[in-house]
Amino acid sequence: QVQLVESGGGLVQAGGSLRLSCLASGVSERIFTFNSMGWYRQAPGKVREWVASITSDGRTTYADFVKGRFTISRDNAKNTVYLQMNSLRPEDTAVYYCNVVLLSSRYSWGQGTQVTVIS
């Protein structure tokens, strides 16, 4: 069974940075590499929203609200996806999750990692 384990969250002041990691265990490197992976977030009282995606060959896309501030990357040999978050804002406060982009291939959601940005 595939498990997604997110880490790297924390409490940071506005303008600060964090680097999130997401390890996919229980899946082969070949299958992990095949899938486009994404980061998502859910703020209190809000629905989960897409943040960024990266294809198997490294092409990236971003939601407008993080463009220019966040960078998604992946290390296929480590079955890991990263999210470098710079210039953090209080409105970035949320639980961050990763998962496969394609709905039909999506794994069970992990526990996420809490990011709290204070002004």
Side-chain angles (χ1 to χ4, degrees):
Q1 184 177 353
V2 178
Q3 280 193 312
L4 298 170
V5 180
E6 300 90 351
S7 61
L11 179 68
V12 63
Q13 286 193 322
S17 299
L18 286 171
R19 188 191 193 211
L20 308 184
S21 299
C22 171
L23 170 65
S25 61
V27 60
S28 69
E29 178 184 339
R30 183 180 67 84
I31 293 177
F32 176 82
T33 303
F34 177 78
N35 286 311
S36 294
M37 295 295 295
W39 280 97
Y40 305 82
R41 71 185 188 185
Q42 187 168 18
K46 295 188 176 181
V47 298
R48 187 176 289 154
E49 61 183 354
W50 168 75
V51 175
S53 299
I54 185 166
T55 64
S56 57
D57 59 354
R59 287 172 290 141
T60 59
T61 53
Y62 298 93
D64 286 344
F65 52 79
V66 302
K67 204 170 290 183
R69 301 188 297 125
F70 291 10
T71 303
I72 187 172
S73 60
R74 66 191 297 166
D75 185 337
N76 293 326
K78 296 182 179 179
N79 277 18
T80 300
V81 184
Y82 303 99
L83 186 68
Q84 177 67 43
M85 307 188 296
N86 298 328
S87 302
L88 283 162
R89 304 167 180 168
E91 54 264 39
D92 293 320
T93 295
V95 179
Y96 284 72
Y97 305 86
C98 73
N99 213 321
V100 177
V101 171
L102 187 63
L103 278 174
S104 59
S105 299
R106 200 162 276 178
Y107 304 128
S108 296
W109 294 96
Q111 83 289 349
T113 185
Q114 175 71 48
V115 172
T116 303
V117 185
I118 56 174
S119 55

XYZ file of all heavy atoms in Angstrom, residues 12-58:
356
model
N 6.394 30.045 11.020
C 7.360 30.966 10.430
C 6.746 32.355 10.345
O 5.523 32.494 10.217
C 7.806 30.469 9.035
C 6.635 30.441 8.069
C 8.965 31.265 8.495
N 7.584 33.357 10.421
C 7.107 34.728 10.277
C 6.886 35.053 8.804
O 7.527 34.474 7.916
C 8.111 35.707 10.882
C 8.114 35.708 12.397
C 8.868 36.887 12.965
O 9.897 37.282 12.433
N 8.355 37.451 14.051
N 5.992 35.990 8.579
C 5.752 36.448 7.212
C 7.060 36.884 6.568
O 7.891 37.539 7.211
C 4.747 37.588 7.219
N 7.227 36.479 5.311
C 8.459 36.757 4.592
C 9.482 35.646 4.695
O 10.486 35.659 3.968
N 9.234 34.704 5.562
C 10.166 33.606 5.763
C 10.002 32.494 4.738
O 9.200 32.602 3.798
N 10.764 31.422 4.936
C 10.791 30.305 3.988
C 10.671 28.970 4.708
O 11.059 28.843 5.884
C 12.104 30.307 3.191
O 12.250 31.495 2.442
N 10.138 28.016 3.999
C 10.093 26.631 4.443
C 10.274 25.727 3.231
O 9.912 26.117 2.108
C 8.755 26.298 5.113
C 8.484 26.836 6.511
C 7.030 26.569 6.902
C 9.422 26.221 7.529
N 10.792 24.544 3.468
C 10.904 23.553 2.404
C 10.174 22.290 2.841
O 10.551 21.657 3.826
C 12.355 23.213 2.101
C 12.522 22.327 0.870
C 13.929 21.809 0.758
N 14.205 21.204 -0.551
C 15.060 20.210 -0.741
N 15.733 19.711 0.270
N 15.261 19.741 -1.976
N 9.140 21.951 2.108
C 8.356 20.768 2.406
C 8.859 19.586 1.593
O 9.337 19.766 0.465
C 6.877 21.003 2.093
C 6.221 22.236 2.708
C 4.732 22.251 2.373
C 6.437 22.292 4.197
N 8.719 18.399 2.179
C 9.080 17.169 1.479
C 7.899 16.210 1.523
O 7.121 16.217 2.476
C 10.288 16.513 2.138
O 11.412 17.343 2.105
N 7.808 15.383 0.511
C 6.766 14.353 0.467
C 7.397 13.076 -0.054
O 7.839 13.013 -1.199
C 5.623 14.788 -0.436
S 4.424 13.480 -0.768
N 7.428 12.076 0.815
C 7.991 10.782 0.461
C 6.864 9.808 0.143
O 5.939 9.649 0.944
C 8.838 10.245 1.607
C 9.315 8.793 1.481
C 10.273 8.644 0.308
C 9.968 8.332 2.769
N 6.959 9.179 -1.009
C 5.988 8.148 -1.389
C 6.635 6.785 -1.174
O 7.570 6.415 -1.877
C 5.576 8.305 -2.844
N 6.137 6.059 -0.183
C 6.675 4.732 0.093
C 5.689 3.678 -0.381
O 4.494 3.925 -0.483
C 6.958 4.568 1.584
O 5.763 4.710 2.321
N 6.223 2.486 -0.675
C 5.362 1.403 -1.126
C 5.060 1.456 -2.610
O 4.159 0.755 -3.079
N 5.791 2.280 -3.336
C 5.610 2.381 -4.781
C 6.982 2.330 -5.423
O 7.953 2.852 -4.877
C 4.864 3.674 -5.171
C 5.623 4.922 -4.725
C 4.576 3.708 -6.663
N 7.064 1.682 -6.576
C 8.358 1.582 -7.241
C 8.775 2.936 -7.804
O 7.947 3.810 -8.076
C 8.287 0.561 -8.371
O 7.475 1.056 -9.427
N 10.082 3.093 -7.980
C 10.594 4.331 -8.562
C 10.025 4.518 -9.964
O 9.705 5.636 -10.373
C 12.120 4.297 -8.613
C 12.737 5.535 -9.258
C 14.239 5.433 -9.394
O 14.865 4.625 -8.670
O 14.803 6.157 -10.252
N 9.858 3.429 -10.698
C 9.340 3.535 -12.073
C 7.935 4.122 -12.094
O 7.625 5.015 -12.882
C 9.349 2.164 -12.739
C 8.895 2.185 -14.201
C 8.923 0.785 -14.789
N 7.940 -0.090 -14.202
C 6.683 -0.156 -14.588
N 6.246 0.625 -15.576
N 5.842 -0.984 -14.010
N 7.085 3.614 -11.205
C 5.712 4.120 -11.166
C 5.677 5.540 -10.618
O 4.944 6.394 -11.111
C 4.814 3.183 -10.340
C 4.664 1.848 -11.074
C 3.457 3.817 -10.080
C 3.871 0.812 -10.326
N 6.474 5.802 -9.588
C 6.509 7.149 -9.032
C 6.927 8.148 -10.109
O 6.323 9.199 -10.260
C 7.485 7.212 -7.859
C 7.640 8.595 -7.296
C 6.725 9.105 -6.395
C 8.714 9.400 -7.666
C 6.856 10.389 -5.885
C 8.860 10.678 -7.161
C 7.926 11.171 -6.259
N 7.958 7.795 -10.857
C 8.475 8.687 -11.892
C 7.428 8.939 -12.969
O 7.355 10.033 -13.534
C 9.736 8.080 -12.519
O 10.696 7.850 -11.491
C 10.325 9.002 -13.560
N 6.610 7.949 -13.271
C 5.625 8.047 -14.340
C 4.571 9.117 -14.063
O 4.064 9.759 -14.980
C 4.957 6.684 -14.525
C 3.870 6.681 -15.556
C 4.172 6.657 -16.907
C 2.539 6.714 -15.178
C 3.177 6.659 -17.860
C 1.522 6.709 -16.123
C 1.849 6.683 -17.463
N 4.226 9.286 -12.779
C 3.112 10.163 -12.414
C 3.513 11.612 -12.232
O 4.552 11.909 -11.635
C 2.479 9.688 -11.103
C 1.646 8.440 -11.285
O 0.819 8.368 -12.182
N 1.868 7.455 -10.435
N 2.643 12.504 -12.709
C 2.769 13.906 -12.317
C 2.333 14.016 -10.866
O 1.336 13.412 -10.460
C 1.872 14.791 -13.191
O 2.296 14.796 -14.522
N 3.085 14.780 -10.101
C 2.801 14.929 -8.686
C 2.432 16.379 -8.380
O 2.902 17.312 -9.043
C 4.015 14.530 -7.854
C 4.395 13.066 -7.953
S 3.130 11.959 -7.279
C 3.137 12.416 -5.540
N 1.603 16.541 -7.374
C 1.175 17.883 -7.020
C 1.205 18.130 -5.531
O 1.183 17.190 -4.729
N 1.272 19.387 -5.178
C 1.082 19.832 -3.798
C -0.283 20.518 -3.715
O -0.684 21.258 -4.628
C 2.177 20.806 -3.372
C 3.454 20.137 -2.996
C 4.556 19.942 -3.782
C 3.775 19.564 -1.724
N 5.533 19.281 -3.084
C 5.078 19.039 -1.804
C 3.099 19.448 -0.507
C 5.723 18.412 -0.735
C 3.718 18.822 0.554
C 5.027 18.313 0.446
N -0.937 20.275 -2.590
C -2.257 20.831 -2.334
C -2.259 21.387 -0.922
O -1.405 21.034 -0.117
C -3.332 19.743 -2.473
C -3.285 19.032 -3.804
C -2.368 17.994 -4.018
C -4.117 19.396 -4.854
C -2.297 17.356 -5.242
C -4.052 18.755 -6.080
C -3.137 17.730 -6.269
O -3.060 17.107 -7.484
N -3.228 22.223 -0.610
C -3.313 22.740 0.758
C -4.762 22.943 1.153
O -5.631 23.133 0.305
C -2.521 24.042 0.890
C -3.134 25.236 0.187
C -2.203 26.440 0.278
N -2.827 27.666 -0.210
C -2.191 28.831 -0.322
N -0.894 28.926 0.011
N -2.822 29.890 -0.776
N -4.967 22.881 2.457
C -6.308 23.091 2.992
C -6.210 23.969 4.227
O -5.612 23.569 5.230
C -6.983 21.761 3.335
C -8.437 21.915 3.742
C -9.157 20.586 3.783
O -8.559 19.517 3.828
N -10.488 20.641 3.744
N -6.799 25.128 4.119
C -6.854 26.059 5.243
C -8.098 25.759 6.075
O -9.058 25.173 5.555
C -6.885 27.488 4.725
N -8.110 26.158 7.329
C -9.280 25.898 8.186
C -10.563 26.449 7.575
O -10.606 27.605 7.156
C -8.925 26.618 9.483
C -7.438 26.670 9.501
C -7.029 26.832 8.065
N -11.575 25.589 7.502
C -12.862 26.009 6.981
C -12.942 26.142 5.479
O -13.968 26.602 4.951
N -11.891 25.737 4.797
C -11.879 25.864 3.328
C -11.658 24.506 2.682
O -11.196 23.568 3.327
C -10.783 26.842 2.892
C -11.016 28.272 3.362
C -10.011 29.219 2.730
C -10.291 30.662 3.124
N -9.330 31.601 2.496
N -11.986 24.409 1.404
C -11.754 23.172 0.686
C -10.285 23.067 0.306
O -9.566 24.070 0.240
C -12.644 23.090 -0.579
C -14.116 23.105 -0.202
C -12.309 24.210 -1.550
N -9.854 21.856 0.075
C -8.475 21.627 -0.362
C -8.289 22.236 -1.749
O -9.151 22.075 -2.620
C -8.189 20.139 -0.380
C -6.733 19.773 -0.659
C -6.557 18.263 -0.556
N -6.662 17.806 0.823
C -7.048 16.584 1.177
N -7.415 15.722 0.254
N -7.088 16.242 2.435
N -7.154 22.899 -1.948
C -6.895 23.524 -3.232
C -5.533 23.119 -3.761
O -4.606 22.838 -3.011
C -6.983 25.054 -3.122
C -5.989 25.685 -2.172
C -6.158 27.198 -2.052
O -6.981 27.786 -2.798
O -5.452 27.804 -1.216
N -5.436 23.123 -5.070
C -4.195 22.789 -5.736
C -3.225 23.957 -5.632
O -3.603 25.119 -5.758
C -4.491 22.468 -7.200
C -3.298 22.384 -8.070
C -2.392 21.368 -8.130
C -2.855 23.374 -9.012
N -1.417 21.662 -9.068
C -1.689 22.883 -9.614
C -3.342 24.622 -9.401
C -0.990 23.593 -10.593
C -2.659 25.333 -10.377
C -1.493 24.813 -10.963
N -1.931 23.626 -5.431
C -0.890 24.640 -5.279
C 0.097 24.604 -6.450
O 0.403 25.637 -7.041
C -0.123 24.447 -3.962
C 1.042 25.422 -3.860
C -1.063 24.605 -2.771
N 0.604 23.416 -6.766
C 1.626 23.306 -7.807
C 1.697 21.859 -8.275
O 1.321 20.941 -7.539
C 2.986 23.750 -7.274
N 2.212 21.679 -9.498
C 2.381 20.341 -10.050
C 3.701 20.233 -10.779
O 4.243 21.244 -11.256
C 1.262 20.021 -11.060
O -0.002 20.050 -10.468
N 4.183 18.993 -10.870
C 5.394 18.723 -11.625
C 5.198 17.419 -12.390
O 4.746 16.423 -11.835
C 6.641 18.671 -10.714
C 7.910 18.504 -11.546
C 6.523 17.603 -9.636
C 9.186 18.779 -10.765
N 5.530 17.444 -13.687
C 5.360 16.254 -14.510
C 6.542 15.308 -14.314
O 7.514 15.618 -13.623
C 5.258 16.638 -15.992
O 6.510 17.226 -16.397
C 4.138 17.628 -16.243
N 6.450 14.162 -14.959
C 7.514 13.172 -14.839
C 8.834 13.700 -15.393
O 9.905 13.308 -14.919
C 7.117 11.892 -15.581
O 6.835 12.185 -16.944
N 8.762 14.598 -16.367
C 9.994 15.135 -16.948
C 10.328 16.533 -16.429
O 11.154 17.228 -17.010
C 9.914 15.151 -18.476
C 8.748 15.976 -18.989
O 7.937 16.430 -18.148
O 8.633 16.154 -20.204
N 9.695 16.919 -15.327
C 10.114 18.120 -14.627
C 9.433 19.425 -15.000
O 9.831 20.483 -14.509
